[in-house]
Amino acid sequence: MNVRSIQVATDYAFTVLVDKLSQLPGVVLDDDDVVLHARAITIHYEDALIPQFAETLTNVLLNDWLFDVLYDELQQQHRELTEDEIEYLVLVLLHELKSGELVIGGRPFLDWRKRTAMAFQNLLKCHDTLELSGFVRFRLRQFKYGLAGAVDERVHQFLLDREYDEFVAMLRYMLESQPESEQELHVFCSPERVWIMDSVGRLVRDTEVTEAAIAESEGEVNSEDLAMSILITRSPCRIVIHDTYPDAPWPSFPETLTRVFAERTVRCGHCSTCQQLEQARQHFSRGVEKENNLHNKQGPTRS
């Protein structure tokens, strides 16, 4: 019977590691060697227990250890996040990873899990020390860097979402300060611009709002900002949204309208007016494409 010994050290999830290892039958922890300050413990085990030992190390590393590391890194790198937000981000990320939604380095989570367990087995056969952070740094380098990139992407998107929510909340606050009118307005959203019409088809303009918007934006104002300003000022009881740009990048203007005006908004359901606008746009696009093709065949014009 060949009994081996290894000292395992970690700055994260140390208590969980000791608890899990103590539950392994046939694995002996040297209680006198538990170094709480150094976060290290010596374990004695037989060769036959190596697969089970490696599986336990893998479970701790890719669950509790990974959670604590990600939480600590986010806490240090993003002071603007609350503890609840950090916990939420880490839990969502780990769920995406384990469910297969998130693929790191072209490999699914189960593949990384198998590779980790195998690396632990090889290490337990011929080494007498193991430091988990060093193990990840050298044996799971691609996983570590790939996961860091995924974390950055999700934090960036989370902050954008939070900023957007705050923007919507500000618009709702402005809307609630306006008395609701009995107007029904129709908002048309196209790739080129946004415009508003009343219930009888007249274009809605507001000189005062336009001048104020231009002054506030130092001369530059887009049609979406202007439309939102007019709608909040007029506070209509009903807004019919005509969305002819369903592939608009997030957050789309119709989405923002729905968030701000909530139950006051309805979708037109691809009405006849939207169908005519779509046909006109397609006809125009085909005309432009035909003209470009003709120009390309003729070649550049000589002066």
Side-chain angles (χ1 to χ4, degrees):
M1 180 177 65
N2 186 21
V3 177
R4 298 179 182 273
S5 298
I6 189 170
Q7 186 181 70
V8 180
T10 176
D11 291 330
Y12 299 96
F14 179 73
T15 303
V16 175
L17 177 65
V18 173
D19 180 62
K20 297 294 184 183
L21 290 176
S22 66
Q23 297 176 30
L24 283 178
V27 172
V28 178
L29 277 63
D30 194 338
D31 294 334
D32 295 334
D33 192 53
V34 175
V35 185
L36 294 178
H37 179 69
R39 299 285 185 171
I41 186 172
T42 298
I43 302 105
H44 309 285
Y45 56 98
E46 300 176 15
D47 286 348
L49 296 172
I50 287 179
Q52 195 174 0
F53 191 176
E55 186 69 16
T56 299
L57 288 172
T58 300
N59 286 336
V60 173
L61 180 74
L62 296 178
N63 287 283
D64 306 273
W65 185 91
L66 190 56
F67 177 91
D68 288 351
V69 168
L70 292 175
Y71 189 98
D72 186 55
E73 289 179 352
L74 284 179
Q75 198 171 40
Q76 293 182 34
Q77 297 171 9
H78 296 277
R79 303 289 184 181
E80 69 276 22
L81 295 173
T82 67
E83 292 183 359
D84 288 342
E85 289 173 337
I86 293 174
E87 183 177 6
Y88 167 78
L89 280 167
V90 174
L91 288 174
V92 168
L93 187 73
L94 293 180
H95 171 74
E96 291 180 353
L97 182 65
K98 295 174 184 179
S99 66
E101 296 177 44
L102 175 61
V103 176
I104 302 296
R107 301 179 185 276
F109 176 73
L110 288 179
D111 193 359
W112 284 113
R113 200 181 187 289
K114 291 177 183 177
R115 293 166 66 89
T116 301
M118 185 60 64
F120 273 134
Q121 285 194 41
N122 293 334
L123 188 145
L124 290 171
K125 292 176 183 178
C126 55
H127 287 72
D128 57 8
T129 60
L130 167 62
E131 202 281 315
L132 292 187
S133 294
F135 175 86
V136 171
R137 188 161 52 250
F138 293 106
R139 307 267 182 149
L140 298 175
R141 184 182 298 114
Q142 190 178 9
F143 177 81
K144 173 181 169 64
Y145 291 138
L147 188 60
V151 170
D152 290 342
E153 290 176 4
R154 278 147 184 77
V155 170
H156 177 68
Q157 186 59 53
F158 178 82
L159 292 175
L160 287 178
D161 291 344
R162 190 173 71 174
E163 183 180 358
Y164 177 64
D165 289 340
E166 293 171 351
F167 172 68
V168 169
M170 178 193 69
L171 293 178
R172 285 192 60 83
Y173 175 78
M174 295 169 60
L175 177 64
E176 290 168 1
S177 67
Q178 299 288 340
E180 183 176 324
S181 70
E182 296 182 0
Q183 275 188 307
E184 176 184 294
L185 296 179
H186 293 249
V187 179
F188 292 83
C189 307
S190 75
E192 296 80 20
R193 62 192 180 95
V194 171
W195 69 96
I196 306 171
M197 302 187 78
D198 61 20
S199 57
V200 296
R202 292 175 300 195
L203 188 65
V204 174
R205 300 178 185 274
D206 195 313
T207 304
E208 292 185 5
V209 173
T210 302
E211 291 177 352
I214 292 175
E216 185 175 344
S217 61
E218 298 181 354
E220 295 183 9
V221 60
N222 62 45
S223 61
E224 291 185 359
D225 292 341
L226 182 57
M228 183 63 75
S229 298
I230 292 175
L231 290 169
I232 289 178
T233 301
R234 298 207 172 196
S235 188
C237 64
R238 177 180 166 89
I239 297 176
V240 182
I241 301 174
H242 302 262
D243 186 9
T244 63
Y245 188 19
D247 297 327
W250 180 94
S252 67
F253 190 69
E255 179 182 355
T256 304
L257 269 184
T258 302
R259 294 277 298 272
V260 174
F261 288 86
E263 68 281 353
R264 300 194 207 180
T265 62
V266 294
R267 299 274 179 157
C268 73
H270 200 55
C271 65
S272 58
T273 303
C274 288
Q275 293 176 33
Q276 292 174 10
L277 287 171
E278 185 176 334
Q279 291 171 3
R281 184 178 297 108
Q282 291 175 354
H283 179 73
F284 177 77
S285 298
R286 285 195 294 268
V288 171
E289 183 179 358
K290 184 177 180 180
E291 184 177 343
N292 289 337
N293 291 337
L294 181 62
H295 176 74
N296 291 334
K297 288 180 180 180
Q298 293 176 344
T301 303
R302 294 184 179 179
S303 56

